[in-house]
Amino acid sequence: MERDSGNAVREMDHGAGRAAMQADTDMNPGTDMGSDIDEKAGMTVDMEVDIAGVKLKNPVMEASGTFGSGAEYGEFVDLSRLGAVVTKGVANVPWPGNPTPRIAETWGGMLNAIGLQNPGIDVFAQRDIPFLKKYDTKIVVNVCGKTPEDYVEVVERLGDEPVDLLEINISCPNVKEGGIAFGQDPRAVEEITRICKAHAKQPVIMKLSPNVTDITVMAKAAEAGGADAVSLINTLTGMKIDVERRCFALANKTGGLSGPAIKPVAVRMVYQVAGAVKVPVIGMGGIWTAEDALEFILAGATAVAVGTANFHNPYATVEVIDGILAYMQRHGVQDIRSLVGAVQG
């Protein structure tokens, strides 16, 4: 692990995290954050957002793959504080994931090549959904697959489960098309979206890959296929080499880059996609603080997801929620929706 990488991340967290924690001391954890009252200003603050008809008490969730399926972070975070919990990827059968090593630290972030390891839909439905239903939060299930039939099997199984939204991970390799990711071909994006929508009982969010020439083309393809919302960005493909051992840091050679290093790219892509489609956008990619989250919202995101920050700070999600609330009170913003796409110039 690189000594300076962690320091760089901590420096980016300094200040804003403390402000968010201070805001937390003035509120009652576990209460409905959809509408909070600033007693000093006498102002009602509405943090509720709508994703395809599903009401979230606030716009903050965590990114798939960084939070387990909720239980792993339950001792740190009151899950009822979150607008939604996004599960790890769920496949039709158990996936063992990639060989190790499959995590490497980089400057301002990390590389991962986990390979979407998961126990499969049977274990998920029996174990994880009942756990999440104990909390007052929305449930978003991330769905992965290697063929259209894989996706359909999971989507159909979830149709009878008490979950609120489906997030379709189209960064998976399409084994029927030579291994190219579903999300790197607009025709494949539109097709897999249409297929999932045809079998889904819940609204469908398509999670877009940034590893493309023009992400707006992919967003428009998802919208044409019937997507109810899009989320972006997934990780950027990267590589790290151990120069002392002269070998790849990851057994898979390449991995997904995430963390603060990718945030400027993610904000730019969210801004472009928000201007290109009419469906709601969920923004993610390097969110560490409330200020980071607000950049995405001002760029056009209706909601945001906190990812890699959870590994560094397990309280990151609630600190972001509290920081957004403090910002709204400080600036006299009564409705979070008035900030969506409100960047000027």
Side-chain angles (χ1 to χ4, degrees):
M1 304 286 280
E2 295 180 0
R3 177 178 60 84
D4 290 337
S5 177
N7 291 336
V9 162
R10 282 189 289 276
E11 289 173 8
M12 301 186 81
D13 187 48
H14 181 68
R18 289 188 303 171
M21 286 188 285
Q22 180 61 44
D24 185 45
T25 63
D26 298 329
M27 291 177 289
N28 180 21
T31 59
D32 186 348
M33 295 295 292
S35 179
D36 292 281
I37 298 177
D38 176 5
E39 295 181 356
K40 294 180 180 179
M43 182 182 73
T44 299
V45 174
D46 186 358
M47 295 184 72
E48 185 179 86
V49 298
D50 184 306
I51 303 293
V54 177
K55 306 289 186 181
L56 278 59
K57 65 179 68 176
N58 64 64
V60 180
M61 58 191 81
E62 32 62 45
S64 177
T66 67
F67 211 74
S69 286
E72 294 84 347
Y73 278 76
E75 63 182 285
F76 302 105
V77 177
D78 177 2
L79 302 183
S80 294
R81 294 285 313 280
L82 305 183
V85 172
V86 185
T87 71
K88 68 173 79 175
V90 178
N92 59 327
V93 295
W95 285 10
N98 290 328
T100 59
R102 50 191 192 177
I103 293 284
E105 191 173 2
T106 66
W107 183 264
M110 62 178 281
L111 287 166
N112 94 83
I114 302 299
L116 294 167
Q117 178 180 334
N118 74 93
I121 182 62
D122 291 336
V123 171
F124 174 78
Q126 182 179 10
R127 180 191 67 190
D128 296 323
I129 294 176
F131 171 81
L132 289 172
K133 290 303 295 180
K134 298 175 184 178
Y135 296 89
D136 179 23
T137 188
K138 301 302 181 183
I139 302 172
V140 182
V141 181
N142 183 278
V143 179
C144 53
K146 297 176 181 177
T147 67
E149 291 77 14
D150 291 347
Y151 284 101
V152 167
E153 186 174 344
V154 178
V155 166
E156 287 186 334
R157 282 287 306 276
L158 291 170
D160 296 323
E161 297 290 345
V163 302
D164 301 288
L165 293 156
L166 307 181
E167 181 183 58
I168 311 300
N169 182 357
I170 53 176
S171 292
C172 301
N174 184 349
V175 296
K176 287 190 173 182
E177 297 295 335
I180 185 173
F182 286 94
Q184 291 180 315
D185 179 346
R187 291 172 298 178
V189 170
E190 183 173 348
E191 179 185 11
I192 196 66
T193 304
R194 197 179 306 280
I195 289 171
C196 289
K197 275 294 295 179
H199 294 269
K201 292 183 180 178
Q202 298 90 348
V204 168
I205 305 164
M206 301 305 291
K207 187 169 187 178
L208 304 181
S209 168
N211 301 303
V212 296
T213 303
D214 185 348
I215 199 164
T216 64
V217 172
M218 305 304 167
K220 290 176 181 178
E223 185 176 46
D228 298 292
V230 293
S231 61
L232 63 147
I233 61 173
N234 209 328
T235 55
L236 289 157
T237 303
M239 179 183 286
K240 181 178 179 179
I241 295 173
D242 184 328
V243 297
E244 296 299 327
R245 295 190 299 155
R246 301 181 188 179
C247 66
F248 295 104
L250 299 173
N252 196 56
K253 296 184 181 179
T254 62
L257 176 64
S258 62
I262 74 168
K263 193 192 79 176
V265 176
V267 173
R268 182 263 296 177
M269 288 190 170
V270 164
Y271 175 76
Q272 289 178 313
V273 168
V277 299
K278 293 182 173 60
V279 297
V281 174
I282 301 169
M284 66 193 77
I287 295 176
W288 222 255
T289 66
E291 182 180 89
D292 296 330
L294 286 160
E295 279 194 63
F296 281 89
I297 292 170
L298 291 169
T302 297
V304 295
V306 179
T308 301
N310 292 303
F311 299 132
H312 170 71
N313 173 16
Y315 308 102
T317 48
V318 291
E319 290 179 7
V320 168
I321 293 168
D322 294 338
I324 293 174
L325 174 61
Y327 173 91
M328 292 176 66
Q329 293 173 339
R330 189 168 69 251
H331 289 273
V333 178
Q334 294 183 300
D335 191 332
I336 188 73
R337 288 162 290 193
S338 68
L339 294 176
V340 176
V343 65
Q344 300 177 8

